[in-house]
Amino acid sequence: MSTWDEPLRKGPLGGRTAKALADKLDLHTLGDLLRYYPRRYDRRGELTDLALLREGEDVTVQAEVLDARRRTIPARQGRRRMDMMEATVTDGTGRLHLTFFNRGSHHQNTLVPGRLAMFSGRVSTFKGRRQLDHPEYVLLEDDGLEGEAARAYANELIPVYPAVKGLDSATIARSVGVALDYAVDIPDPLPPELRARKNLLGVHEALRKIHRPADWPDVGAAKRRLKWDEAFVLQLALAQRRRQAEELPAVPRPGADGGILDAFDAQLPFTLTEGQQEVGDRLAERLDATHPMHCLLQGDVGAGKTLVALRAMLRVVDSGGQAVMLAPTEVLAQQHHRSISAMLGALGRAGQIDGADTATRVALLTGSMNTAGRREALLEAASGQAGIVVGTHALLQEHVSFADLGLVVVDEQHRFGVEQRDALREKARDGRPHVLVMTATPIPRTVAMTVYGDLDVVALTQLPKGRAPVSTHVVPAHEKPHFLTRAWERIREEVGQGRQAFVVCPRIGDGAGGEAGDEVDAPPEDAPPGARPPLAVLDVLARLKEGPLADVRVEALHGRMAPDDKDAVMRRLSAGETDVVVSTTVIEVGVDVPNATVMAIMDADRFGISQLHQLRGRVGRGQLPGLCLLVTESEEGAPARERLAAVASTTDGFELSRADLEMRREGDVLGDAQSGARSSLRMLTLVKDEELIGEARDEATALVAGDPGLAGHPPLADALAALLPEDRAEYLDKT
């Protein structure tokens, strides 16, 4: 019996072909080759009379060879000598010229005058003559193709494979054909009862129909079966992980009546929205469980995620534990520390003269703190005096410890790698704290894991009462420069009414690049060769001061400034002493200036959908409506303009992440790739296949409940082991 992991070099292919497939396409086993699917299908073309041929058409003609001749094209500079054969064919209605390069003797011996054949190719014109260059052909006398058989040959679907230099699609197709004939008894990973219940093809039949389809229904049926393979095996992996997680012990954090959380709720100057109350109850239920919570808190910018997270942290503090909030930048960490301290008031000043009887401390730990401040924060964390610790990557250092770490809150989780998040979790005594990750727009891999069911998702869909909407418009500066002029006028109008604005640029300037990690989720730039560099903060600041914002108070803000200088700029902005801040994406998350009503994002096409959505969330945070202007020089119809149009069309974070998925795919849900190029899923797509994925999740959960180790399903266990080798299993455990 053939097996999925059978090496190609020992199986159906010769060593030379197997080596080429391994070296050029990373295909080593029979399963690798059989799952190297066509990227599209071509047809030879309609059976056409020669008199009706049109240039550029893909056609198939039935014709008789009139003459054939060989000639040699002399070598020229940069090109070797070539052997060429030319032939003329006719069907009685007209004539057609054929050209073949190299192997001329082979074609001349085959295409002799009087032979009848089917020729397929694309019609071109050379020196006024219609011709086919290097057409495919089949001799009719040899194959007996005529009438209906000839038309079937013309309409046959031809698989086209992703090819590389030195290994063309035709060679790959021949190799796949050999593998298909060899693997007729390859084991089917899907249980027979599941195939019958879902009316799915057997695996070999599905592979044959995807590689050698007779018609489009064959392709559709094969894709459906092969998508089930990917969805079901992946869902098995996730179902097993969920089952294992439910069996892991964790310290419940039930809170306490009359504790800090109750006091905090009593002093809030507003009423929680129904959504905030509902999400808070769901998090409380999960924190009270005896296995670790792993939850994604999805909420649009301004929906109150920080408040919900703070209430969860206070519940843990009331239970005798500590909570950590990990932020990606110092600006955001400082902002969180200030806002949490302000919201808690006396409840966050334990041991101080003005502290409440029931209180805790809120510590801040960042890399730029002075020695005395860092020492004090480390002591408060290690002793347990600080029930809440807010910080940046500095929290991940080995010498940072906690008395009883019960909850890890990760803000904007896509800004941290899996290893970084895992390092913080390990600081809990048992290595299994509850984990809450927050984001306004999940990156594609996070959305992928959400749809696949490995994350427990809670969503805030309500904005607090009085929160103003934000409108977004694309400003095509190259096509309509007067739109950009109007944008500056609009900012001046807002400033004239006592409001404030942001202008965001991709770079800092003076030879400095962007902020470290700023564009972690940005797509590759699709600007044409020779395009100007991205706009920079320092350059734009100078132009605005000298031009359209000459009489406006404008300051710069970027990540290379000293922490005290950055903090001073933000304090002046919050106090109304600055009208406009020209910034990099250092303001992307956490900056809360309710009086800021307008934002212009320069070279907006240089940013990803998630970043644009986050940036937009910095305006309209008060009761005044917000305006976001996406300034771009990209051409209409370009992929960059499609991204900008998607952002302008909606403020819904999940909708934008779905748009991001459609444009970039989901990445490898079982590896560390954040884009689709390395995805282990070849057939399955999240946006189109959500219903199928849901069905597969239900089937996988039921199967794992009855057979956790898949002892009764050896082919399925083998498929799971192939999908989830040890390194990927470890990665999935960490995430």
Side-chain angles (χ1 to χ4, degrees):
M1 175 180 286
S2 52
T3 61
W4 292 97
D5 59 356
E6 187 170 341
L8 290 173
R9 55 186 174 80
K10 294 182 179 179
L13 301 180
R16 186 173 178 181
T17 302
K19 185 177 187 306
L21 291 169
D23 293 345
K24 297 180 181 296
L25 294 176
D26 198 27
L27 305 178
H28 302 273
T29 67
L30 185 61
D32 291 341
L33 181 56
L34 292 175
R35 288 176 173 141
Y36 192 74
Y37 304 129
R39 61 184 175 91
R40 72 170 197 272
Y41 299 90
D42 282 347
R43 288 184 184 273
R44 293 188 174 88
E46 297 298 324
L47 195 58
T48 311
D49 291 343
L50 295 188
L52 302 177
L53 296 182
R54 295 180 181 177
E55 187 171 4
E57 289 184 329
D58 292 314
V59 300
T60 297
V61 298
Q62 181 175 310
E64 179 183 334
V65 179
L66 290 179
D67 59 66
R69 54 209 170 276
R70 290 178 61 192
R71 65 187 180 93
T72 300
I73 301 176
R76 295 179 182 175
Q77 187 174 5
R79 191 178 74 182
R80 295 179 300 173
R81 187 179 66 175
M82 297 180 63
D83 180 31
M84 178 180 179
M85 180 193 140
E86 297 176 302
T88 304
V89 298
T90 182
D91 68 346
T93 68
R95 294 191 177 194
L96 181 65
H97 295 273
L98 314 177
T99 58
F100 299 88
F101 295 96
N102 298 323
R103 296 191 69 202
S105 59
H106 166 77
H107 297 299
Q108 189 175 32
N109 293 335
T110 304
L111 298 177
V112 297
R115 296 297 295 267
L116 190 65
M118 303 278 292
F119 301 94
S120 300
R122 178 164 296 180
V123 180
S124 61
T125 302
F126 181 70
K127 293 183 178 181
R129 303 185 309 181
R130 288 171 302 171
Q131 68 178 30
L132 301 180
D133 290 325
H134 220 291
E136 295 182 38
Y137 63 89
V138 173
L139 302 178
L140 297 187
E141 290 90 342
D142 292 346
D143 292 76
L145 286 176
E146 57 185 33
E148 289 299 321
R151 277 185 283 276
Y153 170 80
N155 290 319
E156 182 183 346
L157 293 178
I158 304 168
V160 179
Y161 294 87
V164 294
K165 186 176 180 180
L167 198 60
D168 59 24
S169 176
T171 302
I172 298 170
R174 286 193 294 271
S175 301
V176 171
V178 172
L180 279 173
D181 294 340
Y182 178 83
V184 291
D185 56 353
I186 199 161
D188 195 322
L190 292 190
E193 59 274 14
L194 172 61
R195 297 201 308 268
R197 197 160 52 247
K198 298 297 180 180
N199 193 28
L200 299 173
L201 300 175
V203 68
H204 188 269
E205 185 181 5
L207 291 170
R208 181 178 57 79
K209 288 188 173 183
I210 202 71
H211 291 294
R212 293 175 172 175
D215 49 31
W216 288 113
D218 273 4
V219 176
K223 283 186 174 182
R224 182 170 177 268
R225 159 60 207 251
L226 297 172
K227 285 182 178 183
W228 259 95
D229 280 16
E230 294 180 358
F232 187 65
V233 174
L234 180 55
Q235 285 295 338
L236 281 174
L238 299 179
Q240 287 183 335
R241 290 308 186 271
R242 285 194 301 272
R243 185 181 179 89
Q244 291 168 7
E246 290 171 359
E247 294 174 352
L248 290 174
V251 178
R253 307 291 177 172
D257 292 335
I260 302 177
L261 177 57
D262 287 345
F264 175 73
D265 286 346
Q267 74 177 25
L268 282 175
F270 52 82
T271 302
L272 296 174
T273 66
E274 291 182 10
Q276 289 170 338
Q277 187 65 57
E278 180 183 348
V279 169
D281 292 343
R282 292 175 65 184
L283 293 181
E285 180 182 343
R286 287 155 177 75
L287 289 170
D288 197 19
T290 55
H291 59 269
M293 174 183 79
H294 188 200
C295 196
L296 172 67
L297 174 57
Q298 153 69 22
D300 241 330
V301 286
K305 295 186 298 296
T306 303
L307 174 62
V308 170
L310 176 56
R311 295 184 72 246
M313 290 191 284
L314 293 177
R315 184 180 185 85
V316 171
V317 173
D318 280 339
S319 304
Q322 294 170 283
V324 163
M325 177 175 279
L326 180 62
T329 66
E330 289 199 356
V331 169
L332 179 55
Q334 291 164 351
Q335 175 79 30
H336 276 316
H337 182 256
R338 282 198 299 269
S339 63
I340 288 174
S341 297
M343 284 191 284
L344 287 176
L347 295 173
R349 295 193 289 269
Q352 299 182 25
I353 295 177
D354 61 345
D357 293 337
T358 301
T360 187
R361 291 188 186 180
V362 184
L364 173 67
L365 184 62
T366 66
S368 66
M369 294 176 65
N370 58 39
T371 302
R374 184 182 300 110
R375 185 182 297 116
E376 182 180 359
L378 290 172
L379 180 61
E380 289 184 342
S383 66
Q385 289 178 306
I388 297 174
V389 182
V390 181
T392 58
H393 296 75
L395 290 168
L396 307 177
Q397 297 173 358
E398 290 185 7
H399 61 274
V400 179
S401 62
F402 300 89
D404 182 12
L405 181 57
L407 173 64
V408 174
V409 179
V410 184
D411 196 12
E412 293 312 318
Q413 58 95 21
H414 65 280
R415 302 290 290 270
F416 297 95
V418 171
E419 298 293 341
Q420 293 169 313
R421 299 195 298 269
D422 189 57
L424 187 53
R425 288 169 58 186
E426 290 299 322
K427 293 183 180 296
R429 285 183 300 185
D430 58 3
R432 291 185 292 272
H434 299 284
V435 177
L436 176 66
V437 295
M438 303 192 303
T439 185
T441 305
I443 58 169
R445 197 184 69 83
T446 303
V447 179
M449 296 296 279
T450 299
V451 175
Y452 286 126
D454 195 51
L455 283 174
D456 187 8
V457 184
V458 291
L460 283 171
T461 57
Q462 278 182 298
L463 290 178
K465 291 182 179 179
R467 182 60 57 86
V470 178
S471 59
T472 306
H473 302 279
V474 178
V475 179
H478 182 69
E479 301 165 27
K480 300 177 180 179
H482 60 285
F483 277 29
L484 181 57
T485 302
R486 176 58 186 146
W488 302 129
E489 292 175 353
R490 191 73 179 82
I491 290 177
R492 289 174 60 88
E493 291 170 2
E494 291 293 305
V495 170
Q497 297 180 59
R499 300 161 191 168
Q500 294 160 294
F502 294 104
V503 177
V504 181
C505 303
R507 291 192 307 127
I508 298 172
D510 281 350
E515 312 287 13
D518 267 351
E519 299 187 45
V520 70
D521 68 326
E525 296 177 6
D526 43 26
R532 63 160 174 76
L535 293 172
V537 166
L538 300 182
D539 297 334
V540 171
L541 177 70
R543 294 178 197 171
L544 293 179
K545 282 185 172 183
E546 296 171 1
L549 303 183
D551 56 349
V552 172
R553 297 172 297 180
V554 186
E555 290 196 65
L557 178 68
H558 56 76
R560 295 185 189 273
M561 295 169 62
D564 289 345
D565 293 339
K566 287 187 289 187
D567 196 46
V569 172
M570 290 306 304
R571 288 183 185 276
R572 286 194 292 272
L573 184 67
S574 297
E577 299 169 4
T578 297
D579 299 316
V580 178
V581 166
V582 183
S583 172
T584 56
T585 54
V586 70
I587 65 159
E588 179 182 346
V589 287
V591 173
D592 189 6
V593 183
N595 195 45
T597 56
V598 61
M599 172 180 288
I601 304 177
M602 312 305 294
D603 284 341
D605 50 284
R606 304 277 180 161
F607 302 101
I609 286 177
S610 174
Q611 280 185 307
L612 293 172
H613 184 55
Q614 292 284 6
L615 288 166
R616 169 174 58 187
R618 300 311 103 199
V619 296
R621 299 181 70 83
Q623 296 184 351
L624 299 170
L627 173 64
C628 180
L629 303 172
L630 307 177
V631 182
T632 180
E633 293 186 359
S634 62
E635 297 181 359
E636 188 171 2
R641 286 286 287 272
E642 292 181 9
R643 293 197 300 272
L644 300 186
V647 175
S649 68
T650 182
T651 57
D652 186 286
F654 263 127
E655 285 303 312
L656 286 175
S657 60
R658 289 176 67 86
D660 209 0
L661 266 176
E662 291 177 340
M663 296 178 189
R664 296 169 54 200
R665 291 209 59 185
E666 58 271 14
D668 193 334
V669 297
L670 298 179
D672 57 5
Q674 294 287 341
S675 62
R678 294 172 56 187
S679 176
S680 59
L681 306 177
R682 299 186 182 276
M683 279 288 178
L684 205 64
T685 56
L686 295 179
V687 176
K688 296 179 181 179
D689 298 320
E690 280 189 69
E691 184 177 347
L692 186 152
I693 293 167
E695 292 181 33
R697 184 175 188 269
D698 292 342
E699 292 282 351
T701 302
L703 191 148
V704 168
D707 185 5
L710 305 181
H713 303 84
L716 197 53
D718 291 342
L720 181 58
L723 175 77
L724 203 66
E726 185 174 344
D727 58 337
R728 288 191 169 192
E730 181 181 354
Y731 180 93
L732 190 58
D733 281 335
K734 290 177 180 178
T735 56

